[in-house]
Amino acid sequence: MDELDTEERAIVDTVREFVDRDVRPSVQELEHANTYPDELIERMKEMGIFGLAIPEPYGDVQVSTPCYALVTEELSRGWMSLAGAMGGHTVVSKLLRDFGTEEQRQRYLPRMATGELRATMALTEPGGGSDLQAMRTHARLDGDGYVINGTKTWISNARRSDLVALLCKTDPQASPAHTGISILLVEKVPGFTVSKDLGKLGYKGVESCELSFADCRVSTDALLGGEPGTGFAQMMKGLEIGRIQVAARATGVGRAALDDALRYAQERESFGKPIWKHQSVGNYLADMATKLTAARQLILHAARKLDAGDRCDMEAGMAKLFASETAMEIALNAIRVHGGYGYSTEFDVERYFRDAPLMIVGEGTNEIQRNVIVGQLISRGGL
């Protein structure tokens, strides 16, 4: 945390204390019952966590992106679902901050900063997620508004969100296709329904939902930034912080798994000595710590570039790719260290193993991240 100022260090410390005091003692019960963590979310609101990416005059506690990433890591160390509940909210706040009209910023950002108004984004569709330009959800201009029809899926926290940043086609005939895509800011209005919750391997507590739009009408004022056809570029920029956030979530899961494995390896004995002294177990722990440290540095590197105003899609993609694959490896190795207990629901490591895959496929699959990385390598002429 050397690069954080005194105030930002205090914020990270406060979140760490919250996780140790309130989250970790209750997470097993909430997660196994798949219960939405209302009380914990309220505490997060009180701490200003939902406003960490919102600047003055709309919010009071905007922090640097490195600080935001470390806060996300701490939350995920306690329960990844808590960080997931604010992921889409952060992307929408950045979209509004960077591209919204002043009226849109005034309308939404102050209430988003306090958590009074919660937001999420809607990109993925039942027919596909990676190829956003092939989406079918469309909005037809009709007088002083847009009429939306289509379906989105895997939308986190949708039942609890008051605002959805909807990526849709406003000109299906546009060529190239991305020039016909816009973002509409959709509130809970007639024609918009959360049609069902999706069952999941992990990421419990916070819902992932399917959204349906059937002749859903919004005013033209709902068009982000007021200029149609710019939504694809806007969302790609917003996803830079989204992918940094997902990478930080992965690092939090990996850190929790490493912490538990270290603790267990010192307590458990076999053949007359703690198991960490057996070379095979010790090697697991050493590799886990090394890769976790490397993942965090990739995240902070991307975060610094974002704050400097530089393009960082490649760096965010690298961080997301490496951190998520690392979290999956660490979670599996934590089970190996725990032996049979690692397969028991009485220990947290089985939860880490169920949560880790989300970061591999979420916010753009790792296959897509590799495409982004190599594309940027070519266009930049290397590193």
Side-chain angles (χ1 to χ4, degrees):
M1 294 201 301
D2 292 343
E3 58 197 282
L4 306 187
D5 61 30
T6 302
E7 183 178 353
E8 290 186 335
R9 288 194 194 97
I11 290 171
V12 175
D13 289 343
T14 298
V15 175
R16 182 184 301 115
E17 292 166 4
F18 161 67
V19 165
D20 290 336
R21 182 185 64 247
D22 298 333
V23 179
R24 292 191 66 85
S26 61
V27 61
Q28 272 204 4
E29 180 180 354
L30 290 169
E31 202 268 350
H32 289 164
N34 200 15
T35 300
Y36 192 84
D38 287 299
E39 292 185 10
L40 297 177
I41 294 293
E42 287 303 314
R43 288 296 316 281
M44 288 166 61
K45 291 179 183 179
E46 293 168 5
M47 290 188 289
I49 287 175
F50 287 95
L52 292 180
I54 298 175
E56 294 181 340
Y58 314 105
D60 298 325
V61 290
Q62 185 193 17
V63 298
S64 67
T65 304
C67 178
Y68 171 77
L70 292 170
V71 166
T72 299
E73 179 183 322
E74 289 295 340
L75 288 173
S76 294
R77 179 179 66 85
W79 189 12
M80 190 274 292
S81 295
L82 295 179
M86 73 171 196
H89 184 91
T90 301
V91 174
V92 177
S93 68
K94 179 169 175 57
L95 290 171
L96 282 163
R97 183 183 76 194
D98 291 351
F99 305 111
T101 65
E102 185 56 33
E103 189 278 330
Q104 290 168 341
R105 293 172 184 151
Q106 292 284 355
R107 181 175 182 178
Y108 296 119
L109 285 177
R111 290 183 294 149
M112 289 176 66
T114 63
E116 173 193 350
L117 185 146
R118 306 269 296 283
T120 192
M121 56 180 179
L123 285 71
T124 302
E125 299 190 354
S130 296
D131 186 5
L132 292 176
Q133 295 185 58
M135 72 178 65
R136 297 183 178 180
T137 299
H138 61 277
R140 173 176 53 85
L141 187 61
D142 181 43
D144 60 352
Y146 288 95
V147 178
I148 309 167
N149 284 280
T151 304
K152 296 290 183 177
T153 194
W154 292 113
I155 311 306
S156 289
N157 213 51
R159 290 197 181 278
R160 316 285 169 157
S161 295
D162 310 290
L163 177 68
V164 174
L166 175 70
L167 196 69
C168 61
K169 287 189 174 180
T170 48
D171 183 2
Q173 306 305 317
S175 181
H178 68 84
T179 62
I181 294 175
S182 304
I183 295 174
L184 294 177
L185 303 170
V186 184
E187 300 180 54
K188 296 293 178 64
V189 295
F192 169 28
T193 58
V194 179
S195 43
K196 67 178 179 180
D197 295 349
L198 302 168
K200 295 172 293 185
L201 170 69
Y203 192 22
K204 302 289 188 177
V206 172
E207 302 99 339
S208 297
C209 305
E210 182 176 277
L211 310 183
S212 297
F213 300 88
D215 292 332
C216 173
R217 187 178 184 89
V218 297
S219 73
T220 52
D221 292 341
L223 180 65
L224 179 67
E227 184 178 350
T230 57
F232 187 82
Q234 292 168 343
M235 189 61 77
M236 291 305 101
K237 190 65 178 175
L239 286 177
E240 291 180 349
I241 195 169
R243 287 168 178 164
I244 290 171
Q245 204 259 0
V246 168
R249 284 156 65 179
T251 304
V253 171
R255 182 171 151 210
L258 173 60
D259 288 347
D260 286 9
L262 282 170
R263 187 180 308 111
Y264 186 80
Q266 294 173 79
E267 296 170 352
R268 180 74 170 179
E269 292 189 357
S270 70
F271 302 99
K273 58 184 177 182
I275 62 173
W276 71 266
K277 292 189 176 182
H278 295 286
Q279 188 176 30
S280 58
V281 174
N283 286 349
Y284 280 139
L285 297 172
D287 288 346
M288 292 157 76
T290 300
K291 291 183 180 181
L292 186 67
T293 300
R296 186 180 295 116
Q297 293 307 310
L298 280 170
I299 292 166
L300 294 176
H301 174 58
R304 287 190 291 267
K305 286 189 72 71
L306 183 68
D307 282 354
D310 297 333
R311 181 172 182 172
C312 69
D313 51 349
M314 181 174 79
E315 290 76 12
M318 286 178 169
K320 191 267 187 189
L321 168 64
F322 187 80
S324 60
E325 297 289 350
T326 293
M328 189 73 252
E329 180 182 332
I330 291 176
L332 175 58
N333 287 342
I335 290 178
R336 295 182 194 272
V337 171
H338 281 75
Y341 287 112
Y343 204 63
S344 168
T345 56
E346 295 181 14
F347 286 73
D348 288 322
V349 288
E350 62 85 27
R351 168 167 53 87
Y352 309 144
F353 185 71
R354 290 184 289 106
D355 280 350
L358 174 67
M359 276 70 74
I360 289 175
V361 298
E363 212 83 358
T365 65
N366 281 357
E367 290 70 29
I368 291 297
Q369 302 312 313
R370 290 180 173 96
N371 291 346
V372 171
I373 293 165
V374 72
Q376 283 299 299
L377 283 173
I378 297 301
S379 66
R380 298 184 191 185
L383 288 174

